[in-house]
Amino acid sequence: MSQPIVQSFTGDRTNASTTSSTVINNITYPTGIVAGDLLFLVVSADAAPTLNGVPGTWTALGPWTNGTTTRLYAQYVVASGGETGTFTGLSWSVAAFGNYGFYRISNFNPLWPPEYELVPTTGTSTTPNPPSVTATWPLSAILGIAFYSQDDSRSTAVSGPSGWVVDYQGVSGPGSAGATGNAFGIAHLGENATGTTSPGVFTTSRSDTWVCMTFIIRGLELYTITETLLMSDASPVPNGVKVIALEADAVINANPGDTLIVRAADLVAGGAGLISLTVYSATDKLLIIDPESVSMAGETLATLPITPTPV
């Protein structure tokens, strides 16, 4: 198993001004974006504005809200490559204070979208407590991302969840008594999943209303071929030959000359023909693009009927 990796991150106010505004003009892309990276953006706000202008190519999630005082949104996309500078186009439906956290993530599993707890946690305290989330996929290496929005521009950071990397805790607003504003924190942790991810609490300097959410992002599964399996083109699976069961989204490290037999086990519903494998050799050549056609470096070694088999 191989964990998703946070390659770079940016976080700040959504608007550099200390005056509430519908304008969101201060979000900066993380550095070094290349094609295939996962871009994951979270924005927070005081009050409960609608977030407008999310690009159509992005998946938008939320809002998660505590009453009319504080709100969160998330959105993500697989990068086309070269995104840089200011992220433009977003705006609030009404004037608001806000913050953001923006991740560039590599080594994630592109066939499994980020998962999150459907019900946010809410409260009024100095300890915003993100929800636990249980993966629906088979256990694998994951990246957890937990975050909160709090209705207080004077509520400064104290600490994040124990063992997690706090990427940003900041405030947006005038910071004066009785004034509106927004406090926001976001943290991540790479781990080998045991089923459920439970971040633990952030701690802030002031008690106020908050809302929290937790996401998990699945890593790649890496398999190494340890045996040479001999068979001829279009032959049935011979007796005594080890059959390697793989998930449909596996990425395999293979050696030129190895022969791979794939059994459709633990696969998504839908049966053969709807499943795709991506397999790379040491020279990064594409080896398998269709589970019913097993090939190595462009040369077909075997063609097998693939039938989903319960495990």
Side-chain angles (χ1 to χ4, degrees), residues 16-271:
S17 171
T18 58
T19 303
S20 63
S21 174
T22 60
V23 175
I24 296 177
N25 61 6
N26 199 43
I27 297 178
T28 302
Y29 278 106
T31 60
I33 295 171
V34 298
D37 284 341
L38 179 66
L39 304 182
F40 187 85
L41 172 64
V42 177
V43 292
S44 66
D46 73 326
T50 299
L51 180 65
N52 298 318
V54 177
T57 54
W58 289 59
T59 298
L61 300 169
W64 304 286
T65 304
N66 186 344
T68 60
T69 63
T70 192
R71 175 167 281 192
L72 287 164
Y73 289 88
Q75 43 269 313
Y76 66 88
V77 74
V78 176
S80 57
E83 290 92 336
T84 187
T86 302
F87 182 83
T88 60
L90 300 181
S91 64
W92 298 121
S93 60
V94 296
F97 293 105
N99 293 274
Y100 79 92
F102 203 167
Y103 290 95
R104 171 196 163 214
I105 299 167
S106 67
N107 216 43
F108 72 100
N109 194 315
L111 299 183
W112 289 83
E115 295 193 346
Y116 57 98
E117 179 55 44
L118 293 178
V119 180
T121 49
T122 58
T124 302
S125 69
T126 61
T127 52
N129 189 7
S132 298
V133 57
T134 301
T136 62
W137 55 61
L139 298 185
S140 63
I142 68 166
L143 177 72
I145 299 176
F147 44 93
Y148 72 88
S149 177
Q150 190 181 31
D151 183 40
D152 197 319
S153 65
R154 293 185 293 160
S155 187
T156 56
V158 175
S159 64
S162 177
W164 288 55
V165 177
V166 176
D167 298 294
Y168 175 77
Q169 276 187 283
V171 296
S172 176
S176 56
T180 59
N182 177 251
F184 172 71
I186 189 165
H188 77 272
L189 177 68
E191 60 180 337
N192 291 324
T194 57
T196 299
T197 296
S198 301
V201 301
F202 291 86
T203 303
T204 62
S205 64
R206 291 177 57 81
S207 178
D208 215 319
T209 55
W210 51 259
V211 58
C212 294
M213 182 49 65
T214 305
F215 273 75
I216 51 176
I217 297 168
R218 187 178 183 180
L220 293 173
E221 280 68 50
L222 301 179
Y223 298 82
T224 301
I225 298 176
T226 58
E227 300 179 23
T228 298
L229 308 177
L230 301 176
M231 59 186 300
S232 61
D233 289 358
S235 65
V237 177
N239 292 333
V241 172
K242 182 179 179 181
V243 177
I244 302 174
L246 301 173
E247 291 181 6
D249 50 327
V251 173
I252 303 168
N253 292 327
N255 296 314
D258 288 348
T259 304
L260 178 65
I261 301 174
V262 179
R263 177 169 66 92
D266 296 325
L267 296 176
V268 297

